[in-house]
């Protein structure tokens, strides 16, 4: 075993000694050849793919976790929650009756939109895709939709399902309409108002930041700016 180690060491020394003599005798040739090899290897950079998926980087492909996550992504991840963001034009604010009128029109259009597919006997509407069944058919409930309209009577537009959801639409009857002559956005839309009135159809308050973005307030708590 000792002789084998000595033989390997002697061979390495002869190889390095030969390399040193060649380098001393032809330095330019060796430098150019080295540069050519490095440039050729450098072209591999164009084929580099950056992987940021934690599962692909750290989880063995043979585990069931990968398949379970792929099943979830394919069947649920893109359909459980969706957000629709409206932003104000430069120099404008969404804190106005006109902006809420546009939001009401948009919500009504979304609810009334129909899609015909040859595989279904009737047109498909939002209420056919967005719903949640609780316990039994008679407890049919719409899916959760959170909208700025929920701060007012007009929030009833966020309840889908038509006659199936009369029990939920009635929750909006006592609420104030933003078209009410007694309501003024500049004077009445405050933190206190949002805390007491901005409730989705299930009548549970939500943080105003979940509904509004880019907000600013006066010292008395009245909202002075709304960007999204």
């Amino acid at each position: 075993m000792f002789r084998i180690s000595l033989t390997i060491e002697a061979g390495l020394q002869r190889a390095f000694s030969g390399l040193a003599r060649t380098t001393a005798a032809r330095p330019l040739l060796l430098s150019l050849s080295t540069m050519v090899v490095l440039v050729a290897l450098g072209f591999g950079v164009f084929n580099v793919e950056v992987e940021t998926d934690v599962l692909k980087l750290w989880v063995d492909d043979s585990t069931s976790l990968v398949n379970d996550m792929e099943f979830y992504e394919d069947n649920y991840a893109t359909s459980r929650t969706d957000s629709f963001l409206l932003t104000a034009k430069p120099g404008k604010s969404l804190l106005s009756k006109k902006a809420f009128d546009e939001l009401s029109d948009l919500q009504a259009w979304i609810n009334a939109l129909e899609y015909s597919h040859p595989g279904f006997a009737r047109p498909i509407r939002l209420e056919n895709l967005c719903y949640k069944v609780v316990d039994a058919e008679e407890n049919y409930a719409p899916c959760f939709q959170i909208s700025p309209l929920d701060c007012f009577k007009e929030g009833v537009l966020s309840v889908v399902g038509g006659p199936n959801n009369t029990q939920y639409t009635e929750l909006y009857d006592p609420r104030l309409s933003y078209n009410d002559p007694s309501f003024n956005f500049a004077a009445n839309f405050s933190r206190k108002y949002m805390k007491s009135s901005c409730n989705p159809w299930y009548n549970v308050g939500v943080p105003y930041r979940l509904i509004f973005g880019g907000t600013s307030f006066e010292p008395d708590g009245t909202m002075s700016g709304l960007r999204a």
Side-chain angles (χ1 to χ4, degrees):
M1 190 67 165
F2 181 70
R3 291 181 178 179
I4 295 176
S5 298
L6 290 177
T7 302
I8 294 175
E9 182 178 355
L12 290 174
Q13 288 181 357
R14 286 194 299 271
F16 283 114
S17 177
L19 179 61
R21 287 194 297 271
T22 303
T23 303
R26 300 181 179 84
L28 182 59
L29 176 62
L30 188 64
S31 297
L32 290 176
S33 61
T34 302
M35 183 65 69
V36 169
V37 172
L38 290 177
V39 170
L41 294 175
F43 279 105
V45 173
F46 296 104
N47 295 322
V48 172
E49 294 184 4
V50 179
E51 181 58 72
T52 58
D53 191 320
V54 176
L55 290 178
K56 292 182 179 179
L57 289 172
W58 303 108
V59 178
D60 192 332
D61 293 339
S62 63
T63 64
S64 61
L65 177 61
V66 175
N67 293 332
D68 292 342
M69 289 299 297
E70 288 180 351
F71 178 84
Y72 172 82
E73 292 289 340
D74 292 341
N75 293 275
Y76 302 110
T78 59
S79 61
R80 302 296 287 180
T81 303
D82 290 292
S83 299
F84 196 94
L85 184 64
L86 301 178
T87 59
K89 294 180 179 180
K92 301 292 184 178
S93 173
L94 298 179
L95 200 60
S96 67
K97 177 181 177 299
K98 180 180 179 181
F100 274 72
D101 280 340
E102 292 181 0
L103 179 59
S104 296
D105 292 341
L106 176 63
Q107 184 69 61
W109 178 82
I110 292 174
N111 289 350
L113 183 65
E114 294 183 348
Y115 170 71
S116 298
H117 189 278
F120 295 89
R122 61 180 182 179
I124 302 172
R125 302 181 60 169
L126 179 63
E127 63 192 70
N128 304 124
L129 304 174
C130 182
Y131 70 93
K132 177 182 179 182
V133 177
V134 183
D135 296 332
E137 185 176 353
E138 59 269 18
N139 290 327
Y140 176 95
C143 61
F144 296 97
Q145 290 194 87
I146 302 175
S147 165
L149 294 175
D150 286 320
C151 300
F152 305 97
K153 184 187 295 288
E154 288 77 9
V156 70
L157 291 171
S158 65
V159 181
V160 298
N164 288 324
N165 292 321
T166 304
Q167 55 181 316
Y168 301 107
T169 58
E170 293 175 351
L171 297 174
Y172 288 88
D173 291 339
R175 301 187 187 184
L176 185 70
S177 169
Y178 66 80
N179 286 305
D180 193 294
S182 66
F183 181 82
N184 181 280
F185 277 100
N188 305 120
F189 204 63
S190 62
R191 293 179 187 270
K192 182 178 180 180
Y193 178 87
M194 288 189 292
K195 185 176 181 179
S196 63
S197 303
C198 296
N199 303 323
W201 60 266
Y202 43 93
N203 252 2
V204 177
V206 297
Y208 76 87
R209 290 186 179 86
L210 190 63
I211 308 176
F212 303 111
T215 56
S216 56
F217 294 89
E218 299 291 349
D220 63 357
T222 303
M223 187 182 291
S224 58
L226 178 60
R227 298 289 303 152

